[in-house]
C-alpha cells in the first residue's frame, strides 16, 4: 500500500503536494431536507455531503437515489472510488433508510432518533442501466442469447434482476462475442428471451454514529 500526499490546486496551473500547515478546504455542502414523513433524497443532496433532516413527526424512511442517478450526477466516479455522507437526524424519531435501484445497503445504515450517521459510499460498478433479452437455464449461472452489442454494455459488478434470477445476483464475467454473461448465482428457472435488468451498483455502509 502506498501513501499519497493530497494535491492542492493553487490556481494558474500551480498544483503542488500539500505541505505542513496547508489548509485543505472542505467541498461539502449543507443541505436541509424538511419533508414531513418519508422522502427520496436527490443525487445532489447525497453528493453534497451533509444532509440535515427536519420535519418528521413519527418514524420515517428516507430512500437513497439510484446508483445510476448518483453516477450521472458525478460521471468522473470510477469503480473503487468512495466518498462520505453525513445525515443529521434532528427529530426524536428513527430514520430507517431504504435503497434506490442499484444501491446496496451494508451494515449500520439506520439513523437513531436525534443522532448523526456518517456513511461511506463505494462504487462497485459503473455503466448505464440496461434491459436486455436473454436465456436462463435452471441451476446454471450463464445467461445466453444476448446480442454482442447488448453484452458489450455490461461490466463485472453490475447487479442483475429478472425472472429466475436470485436476489442479489451480480455479473462476474461477460463474453460479448459469444453473447453470454456469467452471474454470481445459479438461475432458478429456464426461460427464453426473458427481460433482464442490469444496473450499476454503489454500496452504502454506516461507519460512525453519534448523538446530538
Amino acid at each position: 500500500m502506498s501513501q499519497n500526499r493530497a494535491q492542492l490546486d493553487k490556481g494558474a496551473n500551480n498544483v503542488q503536494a500539500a505541505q505542513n500547515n496547508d489548509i485543505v478546504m472542505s467541498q461539502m455542502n449543507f443541505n436541509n431536507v424538511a419533508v414531513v414523513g418519508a422522502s427520496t433524497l436527490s443525487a445532489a443532496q447525497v453528493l453534497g455531503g451533509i444532509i440535515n433532516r427536519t420535519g418528521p413527526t413519527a418514524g420515517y424512511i428516507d430512500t437513497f437515489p439510484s446508483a445510476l442517478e448518483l453516477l450521472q450526477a458525478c460521471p468522473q466516479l470510477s469503480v473503487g472510488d468512495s466518498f462520505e455522507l453525513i445525515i443529521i437526524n434532528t427529530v426524536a424519531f428513527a430514520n430507517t433508510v431504504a435503497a434506490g435501484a442499484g444501491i446496496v445497503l451494508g451494515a449500520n445504515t439506520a439513523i437513531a432518533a436525534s443522532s448523526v450517521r456518517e456513511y461511506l459510499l463505494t462504487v462497485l460498478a459503473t455503466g448505464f442501466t440496461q434491459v436486455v433479452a436473454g436465456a436462463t437455464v435452471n441451476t446454471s449461472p450463464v445467461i445466453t442469447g444476448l446480442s454482442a452489442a447488448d453484452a458489450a454494455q455490461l461490466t463485472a459488478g453490475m447487479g442483475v434482476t429478472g425472472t429466475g434470477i436470485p436476489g442479489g445476483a451480480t455479473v462476474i464475467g461477460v463474453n460479448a462475442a459469444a453473447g453470454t454473461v456469467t452471474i454470481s448465482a445459479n438461475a432458478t428457472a429456464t426461460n427464453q428471451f426473458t427481460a433482464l435488468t442490469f444496473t450499476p451498483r454503489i454500496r452504502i455502509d454506516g461507519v460512525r454514529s453519534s448523538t446530538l
Side-chain angles (χ1 to χ4, degrees):
M1 178 181 294
S2 63
Q3 178 175 325
N4 298 296
R5 189 180 294 273
Q7 299 291 303
L8 301 182
D9 186 345
K10 298 187 176 183
N13 296 318
N14 181 13
V15 178
Q16 301 178 12
Q19 303 298 318
N20 292 338
N21 300 318
D22 278 338
I23 297 175
V24 180
M25 299 181 67
S26 172
Q27 300 301 307
M28 301 177 83
N29 294 318
F30 189 92
N31 296 281
N32 193 56
V33 178
V35 177
V36 177
S39 74
T40 298
L41 303 174
S42 71
Q45 289 166 342
V46 170
L47 292 169
I50 301 175
I51 294 174
N52 189 60
R53 195 62 170 89
T54 63
T57 56
Y60 64 105
I61 298 175
D62 281 342
T63 302
F64 285 105
S66 69
L68 179 60
E69 289 173 313
L70 288 169
L71 291 168
Q72 287 178 324
C74 191
Q76 59 267 47
L77 287 171
S78 301
V79 173
D81 287 346
S82 62
F83 55 95
E84 295 180 352
L85 169 67
I86 295 170
I87 298 182
I88 305 167
N89 182 16
T90 67
V91 302
F93 306 96
N95 179 355
T96 306
V97 298
I103 296 294
V104 180
L105 291 181
N108 304 314
T109 54
I111 312 170
S114 303
S115 295
V116 179
R117 172 71 71 184
E118 182 178 343
Y119 298 95
L120 183 69
L121 288 77
T122 305
V123 179
L124 303 178
T126 57
F128 293 97
T129 298
Q130 306 284 339
V131 180
V132 302
T136 62
V137 176
N138 190 31
T139 73
S140 172
V142 180
I143 299 170
T144 62
L146 281 71
S147 70
D150 284 341
Q153 302 301 310
L154 308 179
T155 61
M158 296 183 89
V160 55
T161 58
T163 302
I165 304 297
T170 60
V171 174
I172 60 175
V174 178
N175 185 332
T180 63
V181 175
T182 302
I183 62 175
S184 61
N186 291 335
T188 59
T190 297
N191 291 294
Q192 296 291 327
F193 304 109
T194 189
L196 302 170
T197 301
F198 295 86
T199 58
R201 293 192 307 143
I202 293 178
R203 181 182 175 89
I204 300 180
D205 292 290
V207 295
R208 183 164 50 196
S209 180
S210 60
T211 55
L212 292 175

